[in-house]
Amino acid sequence: MSVLVIKGLTVEVTTEDGPKEILRGVDLTVKAGEIHALMGPNGSGKSTLAYAIAGHPKYTITGGQVSLDGQDVLEMSVDERARAGLFLAMQYPVEVPGVSISNFLRTSITAIRGEAPNLRHWIKELKESMAGLQIDPQFAERNVNEGFSGGERKRTEILQMELINPKIAVLDETDSGLDVDALRVVSEGINRVCAKGETGVLLITHFTRILKYVKPDFVHVFYDGRIVREGGPELADDIEANGYAQYVTA
Amino acid sequence: MTEVKEREVAIVPPKDHTPVVRSLDPSDFPTPTSRDEEFRFTPMSRLHNLHQGNVTATGSMALAVNKVAGSSFEIAGAKSTDRIGFTDKIAAGAWSQLEAVSTLTIEANQNLSESVVVSIVGSGDVAFGQLDINVEKFASAVVIVDHIGAATYAGNIDINVADGGAVTVVSLQDWDASAVHLAQHRITLGKDASVKHVSVTLGGDVVRILPSVHYAAPGGQAELIGLYFAGAGQHTEHRLFVDHSEANCRSNVVYKGALDGEDAHTVWVGDVLIRANAIGTDTYEINRNLVLSGGGRADSVPNLEIETGEIVGAGHASTTGRFDDEQLFYLQSRGINEEEARKLVLRGFFEDLLGQIAVPEINDRVRDSIEARLGGRI
Ligand SMILES: Nc1ncnc2c1ncn2[C@@H]1O[C@H](COP(=O)(O)OP(=O)(O)OP(=O)(O)O)[C@@H](O)[C@H]1O
Ligand SMILES: [Mg+2]
């Protein structure tokens, strides 16, 4: 059973006026089979946490630890982290001109599985996953995220998650920008992966909408660079009803 | 991420475009300097003085060609002065220094079943060359001119396509890192003749190729394709001139280049002139550059001069993009390492162009050569 352990994580970014601390000591443990929702106001540092776990070079780790199944994640390069089983669905997925989705996914899967997939199986697998997420098959030949609508990008992130089948998936506002039908389709995709019990999910969101489909085991409230409150699904409803102000002095 | 230049195209009054000097004698030309428009991007100090027009050969290139039915090859023919003059000192200098002319003839009405491969191999000498490719009436062929090895080489290619002929000429510059290669590729098209000229420049310290198209009669079609890759410190320059002097001719120019590493420098200049009498002209040119890493510089200058409004179409575009850290991070976050990520992006960038070149036997060769050169390993 995989487990991601984050302890006392502090992170800063470089700004024009020097370094600025964004994460001020994050403690969080996510195990395979669990779904954790992370909720917090704009600018509280949720994406920073997601990027720091994935190893984005913009963020400097100034303290704390992150481990995946006992291995030191912070020592790994970005691609090593992905191959070790970490996955980040980005809030703003990046366009990569010239690289087709099908080429990209095949290269990614080859890297993560350590060998090129059997071509016939692979085509079938890709087709099925795309169909499950209601992605037009023609998207396979389009360039990665180039000209994709916000919702199309989010679906494509979940397509990647489903094919990669990571140990730990961090989903950064995957629900933002989805219409009601897309939200259901994407949620079902997330649930399909979770149902296998091999993946732990950290779901960053602003809305309880998605939590109607993807049922969290734990809810964490993020405020000013740290987790200020933890609880069960009821916490999400409380936030929706009363906002974050109640945690400010917490 | 991508910078796009699309300039307004206006009709201008006709002017005299005859070059100031046209000659086979290098002493008729002043020595070019970087103050001259045509040389403003060129690192003159790295030309091994070829621009002086008086450097003598220290050896020669090894030439080889396969035998293909319907073609003939004369490796060292007489140097007749019955040749149109060159337009710069480098080309005239090469002509004055060389001893013999090599001529590939594609015989009339022949449709060659396999590609003719002319290999030109350098072994470190200063050398000069003149290759003529004569495509006779209604003949068609694919010709690959393969430059490899190391050399300081000024070698011109004259391509003459007679009425109704059709030829694809691929010039591969797959040199070792030290090579200096300066060349004019002069294409003349007869009535309803067509050419697909492909320049693939991958290796060499300085490579400067000047393809030009001259329409000798109406109905000619020219497709000019270029693919170039410049690693750290390399200078790769393509200057094109398409001279629409006849009615109802077509030209299409597509050049794509990638830069990888510090001080990689690429230059693309596309001059297209539509003369007052060239009614019914259809022309388009595009240059795309991708900076993969480092502080490389891609100069891109499309230039369209139109003297008549009675044309089918005329346009140009130029873009320079950069493979940025966010794209790299995205690919890496999917398990793809940095080297593989660059390969993926590069392959994607050139894939459609290789399809347009449509000479399958060079595809793997070009892909492999680029990937071997990626990250400065050659
Ligand atoms: N380069 C930078 N310079 C200055 N501030 C920065 C920089 N990068 C990030 N920040 C700040 O860090 C804070 C945390 O940003 P982050 O993107 O992690 O927030 P978030 O919780 O994901 O917000 P949202 O809900 O809006 O997505 C913000 O206040 C942001 O402005
Ligand atoms: Mg965010």
Side-chain angles (χ1 to χ4, degrees):
Chain A
M1 270 305 176
S2 294
V3 55
L4 177 77
V5 180
I6 301 169
K7 274 197 185 133
L9 188 68
T10 54
V11 169
E12 60 185 35
V13 293
T14 316
T15 72
E16 280 159 22
D17 324 316
K20 176 182 173 194
E21 187 170 59
I22 310 282
L23 299 189
R24 303 161 185 269
V26 177
D27 295 293
L28 182 64
T29 297
V30 179
K31 295 188 182 127
E34 295 175 351
I35 297 174
H36 294 249
L38 187 73
M39 303 180 77
N42 293 133
S44 56
K46 304 179 299 299
S47 293
T48 302
L49 175 64
Y51 277 128
I53 295 169
H56 195 293
K58 202 175 98 180
Y59 301 92
T60 312
I61 314 290
T62 51
Q65 289 124 36
V66 180
S67 70
L68 177 62
D69 299 338
Q71 282 179 286
D72 185 353
V73 168
L74 300 178
E75 282 296 304
M76 299 180 199
S77 65
V78 176
D79 47 297
E80 280 169 350
R81 294 178 198 208
R83 291 197 297 274
L86 290 175
F87 178 82
L88 167 61
M90 292 182 205
Q91 186 174 357
Y92 304 107
V94 180
E95 292 188 10
V96 189
V99 178
S100 70
I101 287 281
S102 85
N103 226 333
F104 163 61
L105 290 177
R106 191 155 27 83
T107 309
S108 164
I109 289 297
T110 302
I112 281 172
R113 296 183 190 167
E115 59 176 355
N118 169 298
L119 204 58
R120 198 145 20 95
H121 288 174
W122 165 243
I123 290 169
K124 188 163 169 277
E125 198 184 341
L126 179 60
K127 262 196 184 147
E128 283 174 4
S129 283
M130 289 179 80
L133 290 160
Q134 296 182 12
I135 299 172
D136 185 332
Q138 285 176 355
F139 271 65
E141 294 319 314
R142 286 181 61 176
N143 291 334
V144 175
N145 293 322
E146 200 176 44
F148 287 24
S149 75
E152 288 163 352
R153 288 182 196 216
K154 298 303 178 69
R155 281 182 208 225
T156 309
E157 293 290 285
I158 299 307
L159 171 68
Q160 295 171 47
M161 172 184 170
E162 198 169 0
L163 292 166
I164 288 173
N165 197 39
K167 290 179 179 157
I168 301 291
V170 180
L171 310 181
D172 192 358
E173 294 198 28
T174 298
D175 55 332
S176 298
L178 294 180
D179 65 46
V180 281
D181 296 322
L183 181 68
R184 187 178 39 76
V185 167
V186 162
S187 300
E188 285 167 6
I190 297 169
N191 286 334
R192 270 198 300 278
V193 177
C194 291
K196 287 189 258 179
E198 298 161 4
T199 303
V201 172
L202 179 63
L203 185 79
I204 298 172
T205 182
H206 285 293
F207 308 106
T208 51
R209 227 170 45 135
I210 189 170
L211 304 180
K212 304 266 183 298
Y213 298 103
V214 181
K215 301 263 185 253
D217 303 296
F218 307 94
V219 174
H220 310 267
V221 180
F222 210 72
Y223 194 88
D224 196 19
R226 59 162 79 86
I227 292 169
V228 292
R229 183 78 180 270
E230 293 178 305
E234 71 288 347
L235 200 51
D237 297 320
D238 188 33
I239 291 167
E240 184 134 283
N242 304 312
Y244 292 108
Q246 53 182 319
Y247 307 107
V248 175
T249 50
Chain B
M1 192 221 62
T2 300
E3 166 202 326
V4 183
K5 278 184 279 184
E6 297 258 7
R7 292 205 212 132
E8 283 291 310
V9 174
I11 298 167
V12 299
K15 61 178 180 218
D16 183 15
H17 294 281
T18 324
V20 189
V21 185
R22 212 180 243 294
S23 173
L24 295 174
D25 182 354
S27 64
D28 289 343
F29 297 89
T31 301
T33 73
S34 50
R35 282 184 300 279
D36 296 317
E37 174 59 32
E38 300 80 59
F39 288 91
R40 72 179 167 118
F41 297 115
T42 311
M44 307 304 284
S45 62
R46 284 155 61 189
L47 302 185
H48 298 181
N49 292 322
L50 285 176
H51 63 297
Q52 309 278 1
N54 57 3
V55 176
T56 51
T58 62
S60 57
M61 309 297 280
L63 253 70
V65 64
N66 58 336
K67 274 209 178 321
V68 179
S71 72
S72 64
F73 190 69
E74 183 183 28
I75 194 157
K79 199 172 133 183
S80 146
T81 50
D82 176 23
R83 180 177 300 268
I84 185 160
F86 290 102
T87 50
D88 72 30
K89 200 176 188 87
I90 295 171
W95 173 259
S96 74
Q97 296 295 331
L98 59 86
E99 285 175 350
V101 174
S102 306
T103 305
L104 172 68
T105 305
I106 313 297
E107 292 157 17
N109 303 308
Q110 297 286 334
N111 179 358
L112 301 202
S113 57
E114 77 179 276
S115 303
V116 179
V117 181
V118 181
S119 72
I120 301 182
V121 186
S123 44
D125 289 307
V126 177
F128 300 95
Q130 174 67 45
L131 171 65
D132 288 356
I133 299 173
N134 293 328
V135 181
E136 296 183 346
K137 284 189 177 180
F138 300 100
S140 74
V142 174
V143 179
I144 298 169
V145 184
D146 190 4
H147 300 89
I148 56 171
T152 297
Y153 181 55
N156 300 314
I157 303 180
D158 283 348
I159 301 163
N160 293 295
V161 191
D163 297 354
V167 70
T168 295
V169 176
V170 180
S171 181
L172 281 175
Q173 287 74 239
D174 200 6
W175 297 108
D176 294 351
S178 66
V180 172
H181 179 200
L182 310 177
Q184 294 204 357
H185 293 181
R186 304 189 299 179
I187 301 159
T188 304
L189 294 176
K191 185 169 191 313
D192 299 328
S194 69
V195 67
K196 183 194 278 187
H197 176 275
V198 181
S199 178
V200 178
T201 301
L202 307 177
D205 181 48
V206 179
V207 177
R208 188 172 185 270
I209 311 280
L210 288 72
S212 61
V213 178
H214 169 67
Y215 298 88
Q221 304 211 10
E223 203 177 342
L224 304 178
I225 300 177
L227 184 161
Y228 49 90
F229 175 85
Q234 257 181 284
H235 177 91
T236 293
E237 180 166 350
H238 290 93
R239 285 183 165 267
L240 289 76
F241 178 45
V242 182
D243 185 354
H244 279 281
S245 56
E246 291 284 339
N248 304 320
C249 293
R250 208 178 61 85
S251 63
N252 190 44
V253 177
V254 187
Y255 268 65
K256 280 182 127 179
L259 295 81
D260 181 48
E262 286 310 313
D263 298 320
H265 188 197
T266 65
V267 177
W268 176 86
V269 178
D271 288 331
V272 175
L273 168 63
I274 305 173
R275 294 182 193 254
N277 59 315
I279 55 169
T281 293
D282 190 2
T283 179
Y284 191 75
E285 55 171 354
I286 183 158
N287 174 227
R288 291 191 191 286
N289 294 294
L290 172 68
V291 182
L292 269 179
S293 74
R297 179 173 145 193
D299 285 302
S300 179
V301 187
N303 226 329
L304 187 48
E305 223 176 304
I306 305 180
E307 297 175 349
T308 172
E310 291 173 61
I311 56 171
V312 175
H316 60 187
S318 160
T319 67
T320 297
R322 191 170 272 281
F323 179 54
D324 64 27
D325 293 347
E326 293 302 322
Q327 295 166 346
L328 177 61
F329 171 74
Y330 189 73
L331 296 177
Q332 284 181 306
S333 78
R334 300 315 186 232
I336 302 166
N337 69 36
E338 182 164 352
E339 186 181 327
E340 204 50 51
R342 286 190 206 289
K343 277 189 193 169
L344 188 65
V345 168
L346 197 59
R347 245 182 261 143
F349 182 66
F350 283 135
E351 207 49 46
D352 60 331
L353 198 64
L354 288 170
Q356 263 174 282
I357 293 171
V359 179
E361 58 256 58
I362 69 158
N363 284 8
D364 288 345
R365 160 84 180 281
V366 171
R367 268 194 217 104
D368 292 350
S369 181
I370 293 173
E371 289 183 7
R373 290 169 189 280
L374 199 60
R377 264 158 301 130
I378 287 186

